[in-house]
């Protein structure tokens, strides 16, 4: 399951950033996930919870923002939602030379930090 390796990479990056921001905890991490990225959101959420255990992210919420696949025809410049499975040939002119504009994203879009140790204690009690 590659979702676990993704979750572990996210945790490592956020832990490093937490040190730079002098954060004592993390409330939430927001990820932008493209529909063509090959990620199963439920599996990622489960893996994220496991990867966070014993780290500064322990108990953090994972928020995912879905990014639809969008393609553009190289010949006629028409744009369309690719859907799943992706339709990559232009329905207007039939050309298969397309540019994928979005849908493969997998990036950290935001982190809600905890800077107050008293707040971190309250989170641990939940």
């Amino acid at each position: 399951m590659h979702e676990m390796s993704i979750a572990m990479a996210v945790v490592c990056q956020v832990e490093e950033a937490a040190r730079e921001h002098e954060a004592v905890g993390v409330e939430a991490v927001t990820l932008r996930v493209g529909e063509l990225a090959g990620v199963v959101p439920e599996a990622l959420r489960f893996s994220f919870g496991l990867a966070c255990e014993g780290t500064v992210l322990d108990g953090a919420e994972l928020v995912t923002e879905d990014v639809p696949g969008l393609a553009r025809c190289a010949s006629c410049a028409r744009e369309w939602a690719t859907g799943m499975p992706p339709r990559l040939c232009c329905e207007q002119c039939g050309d298969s030379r397309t540019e994928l504009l979005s849908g493969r994203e997998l990036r950290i879009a935001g982190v809600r930090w905890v800077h107050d140790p008293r707040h971190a204690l309250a989170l641990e009690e939940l």
Side-chain angles (χ1 to χ4, degrees):
M1 158 172 30
H2 75 284
E3 283 82 359
M4 180 55 89
S5 61
I6 292 168
M8 291 172 64
V10 168
V11 168
C12 286
Q13 289 178 25
V14 173
E15 276 190 308
E16 187 176 314
R19 285 189 291 279
E20 293 171 13
H21 286 86
E22 298 178 1
V24 296
V26 175
E27 286 184 17
V29 176
T30 302
L31 290 181
R32 292 184 49 85
V33 181
E35 76 174 322
L36 305 175
V39 174
V40 178
E42 297 80 24
L44 181 58
R45 216 168 267 107
F46 176 78
S47 298
F48 181 78
L50 293 176
C52 289
E53 289 180 7
T55 72
V56 71
L57 288 90
D58 207 342
E61 174 188 11
L62 178 64
V63 178
T64 56
E65 296 177 351
D66 299 327
V67 180
L70 184 64
R72 178 181 11 207
C73 178
S75 295
C76 69
R78 178 180 180 269
E79 293 182 8
W80 67 94
T82 61
M84 275 306 282
R87 292 180 319 279
L88 299 176
C89 287
C90 181
E91 294 174 350
Q92 184 168 304
C93 72
D95 199 333
S96 62
R97 292 177 297 135
T98 57
E99 174 187 6
L100 212 51
L101 302 175
S102 67
R104 287 194 268 179
E105 293 83 352
L106 182 55
R107 67 178 183 86
I108 299 169
V111 177
R112 266 196 331 262
W113 306 109
V114 175
H115 291 284
D116 183 350
R118 291 171 297 180
H119 186 75
L121 289 175
L123 287 176
E124 288 175 7
E125 294 170 2
L126 293 176

